């Protein structure tokens, strides 16, 4: 019980802040409540299948397979698989971190996991169609072309910024 | 539409898994729940922060900041707003389209959209859980710099 209180203390204090803002400025309070409710419904509708797939991935794909396809030395094929996995996703970026954790646990290379995160953040297919509908095809395609370069550059920079020990620590975090 | 495909995949996967091995399927569901419960406190906190900030920082306010300002400063403001806020795509893109109509340039919009997707300051605690402080910081800074460069290129190409 005490443990739960400790883990949720940030959330509980935010609820308290929101409540006091609502008491002081009812209009803002009601508006924030309705935005939070809408977002909660939206997120809860996307999140269950992601976590079920994550669970299935964890149980059915063994380490050797994951290393073979996305581990160190999986080459261009590994990068492409990580990229497609990320692009075929849905949902907010923070849902990608637990999935990345499972990939690390199973032995994916850090570079490929960062490619996966990059793809999840910017080249999600449903997102791209929505972007094109709102901002036009030339904007979306120019941004997509740049993003693909950017995802690789960001993954490369992040991986290279870590020494051997720091890389091992990240794998340790997800054991 | 895409959500249905995901549900279809998850449902089919679960059915096949259940058919092949019940114990493993149970383990998979347990893992799914535990991973979710692990991020639940931050997840709920993030939702409240989004609700609070969007109720104060209305689309109108954002339009006022970005709509009138132009050039490098507008782009910097856009990228800062994009990095800090966490707006779901179905809200962000119509907002970006409205901003374009009300006078913001492609460069500012690109900076906003790109940082919104790639840089996550509110979600840093979650990212640190998986990648540790150093990698999370480097990834976000690299993504921020990239977003500025991409916005600049888009501004030049599309103007």
């Amino acid at each position: 019980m005490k443990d739960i209180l400790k883990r949720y203390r940030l959330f509980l204090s935010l609820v308290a802040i929101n409540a006091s803002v609502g008491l002081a400025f009812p209009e803002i309070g009601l508006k924030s409540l309705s935005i939070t409710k809408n977002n909660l419904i939206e997120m809860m509708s996307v999140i269950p299948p992601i976590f079920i797939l994550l669970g299935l991935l964890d149980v059915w794909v063994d380490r050797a397979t994951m290393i073979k396809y996305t581990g160190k030395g999986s080459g261009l094929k590994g990068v492409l698989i990580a990229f497609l996995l990320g692009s075929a996703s849905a949902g907010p970026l923070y849902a990608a971190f637990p999935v990345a954790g499972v990939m690390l646990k199973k032995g994916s290379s850090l570079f490929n996991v960062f490619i996966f995160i990059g793809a999840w953040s910017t080249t999600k297919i449903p997102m791209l169609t929505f972007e094109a509908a709102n901002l036009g095809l030339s904007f979306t395609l120019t941004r997509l072309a740049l993003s693909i370069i950017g995802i690789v550059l960001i993954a490369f920079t992040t991986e290279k910024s870590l020494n051997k020990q720091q890389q091992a620590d990240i794998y340790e975090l997800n054991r | 539409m895409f959500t249905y495909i995901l549900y279809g995949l998850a449902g089919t996967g679960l059915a096949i898994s259940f058919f092949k091995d019940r114990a493993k399927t149970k383990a998979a569901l347990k893992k799914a729940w535990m991973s979710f419960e692990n991020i639940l406190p931050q997840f709920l906190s993030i939702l409240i922060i989004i609700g609070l900030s969007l109720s104060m920082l209305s689309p109108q306010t954002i339009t006022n900041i970005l709509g009138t300002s132009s050039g490098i400063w507008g782009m910097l403001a856009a990228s800062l707003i994009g990095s800090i806020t966490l707006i779901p795509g179905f809200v962000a893109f119509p907002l970006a389209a409205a901003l374009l109509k009300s006078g913001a340039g492609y460069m500012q919009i690109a900076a906003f959209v790109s940082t919104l997707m790639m840089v996550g300051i509110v979600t840093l605690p979650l990212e640190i859980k998986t990648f540790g402080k150093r990698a999370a910081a480097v990834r976000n800074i690299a993504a921020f710099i990239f977003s500025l460069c991409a916005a600049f290129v888009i501004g030049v190409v599309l103007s």
Side-chain angles (χ1 to χ4, degrees):
Chain A
M1 187 61 204
K2 217 175 168 183
D3 221 38
I4 292 179
L5 271 182
K6 200 178 159 201
R7 288 188 56 218
Y8 284 85
R9 77 180 159 215
L10 176 66
F11 168 65
L12 293 172
S13 30
L14 282 168
V15 170
I17 291 173
N18 202 348
S20 30
V21 168
L23 284 175
F25 310 96
E27 204 180 304
I28 292 181
L30 282 177
K31 204 175 157 203
S32 69
L33 211 61
S34 99
I35 295 173
T36 307
K37 194 192 82 189
N38 286 341
N39 278 338
L40 185 68
I41 294 171
E42 177 76 21
M43 301 298 172
M44 290 317 273
S45 67
V46 207
I47 278 179
I50 295 175
F51 280 86
I52 288 176
L53 288 169
L54 173 158
L56 292 172
L57 178 77
D58 193 32
V59 170
W60 284 104
V61 178
D62 61 11
R63 223 180 125 74
T65 317
M66 188 65 104
I67 290 177
K68 187 177 155 209
Y69 287 105
T70 63
K72 271 213 166 82
S74 58
L76 193 62
K77 181 187 67 188
V79 179
L80 279 177
I81 290 174
F83 186 82
L84 290 177
L85 264 179
S87 299
S89 68
L93 181 60
Y94 49 89
F97 299 131
V99 182
V102 173
M103 288 174 76
L104 287 169
K105 180 181 157 194
K106 299 272 174 187
S108 289
S109 77
L110 263 177
F111 180 77
N112 285 344
V113 171
F114 288 129
I115 293 282
F116 166 78
I117 290 289
W120 186 305
S121 72
T122 22
T123 57
K124 280 189 298 243
I125 294 155
M127 216 50 144
L128 287 175
T129 53
F130 197 55
E131 181 175 348
N134 276 286
L135 297 171
L137 204 55
S138 50
F139 179 89
T140 307
L141 289 181
T142 315
R143 222 178 63 76
L144 175 64
L146 290 168
S147 295
I148 292 174
I149 304 169
I151 288 167
V152 176
L153 285 177
I154 292 167
F156 184 79
T157 313
T158 316
E159 195 210 12
K160 287 287 171 253
S161 76
L162 304 160
N163 62 30
K164 280 241 157 58
Q165 183 56 45
Q166 287 160 336
Q167 298 196 7
D169 289 345
I170 294 178
Y171 281 103
E172 199 53 47
L173 270 180
N174 295 288
R175 198 157 295 279
Chain B
M1 163 62 191
F2 202 80
T3 315
Y4 294 122
I5 300 178
L6 266 186
Y7 271 94
L9 274 177
T12 317
L14 264 187
I16 295 173
S17 171
F18 185 78
F19 187 69
K20 280 179 117 173
D21 189 332
R22 288 190 186 193
K24 269 191 166 182
T25 310
K26 213 178 145 191
L29 285 175
K30 201 174 163 200
K31 169 79 188 175
W33 169 252
M34 276 167 51
S35 308
F36 177 66
E37 211 278 329
N38 189 29
I39 69 160
L40 192 59
Q42 281 96 343
F43 172 72
L44 291 173
S45 306
I46 289 165
L47 283 178
I48 295 204
I49 292 172
I50 302 174
L52 262 178
S53 52
L54 282 189
S55 65
M56 292 189 233
L57 195 76
S58 65
Q60 191 54 50
T61 322
I62 299 179
T63 314
N64 288 342
I65 299 172
L66 301 184
T68 48
S69 59
S70 57
I72 303 294
W73 292 111
M75 183 177 87
L76 274 178
S79 55
L80 284 178
I81 296 176
S83 305
I84 296 166
T85 50
L86 205 158
I87 309 173
F90 63 95
V91 180
F93 287 125
L95 172 64
L99 284 170
L100 264 183
K101 278 209 186 88
S102 60
Y106 275 110
M107 194 159 73
Q108 289 84 347
I109 296 304
F112 174 66
V113 170
S114 189
T115 48
L116 194 61
M117 291 177 149
M118 284 186 161
V119 186
I121 295 196
V122 184
T123 49
L124 260 182
L126 278 178
E127 191 166 349
I128 289 172
K129 259 190 173 177
T130 304
F131 291 125
K133 278 190 187 137
R134 187 185 170 88
V138 173
R139 192 196 73 77
N140 277 285
I141 293 168
F144 185 81
I145 295 171
F146 163 75
S147 298
L148 291 183
C149 300
F152 191 75
V153 174
I154 288 174
V156 170
V157 170
L158 291 185
S159 64

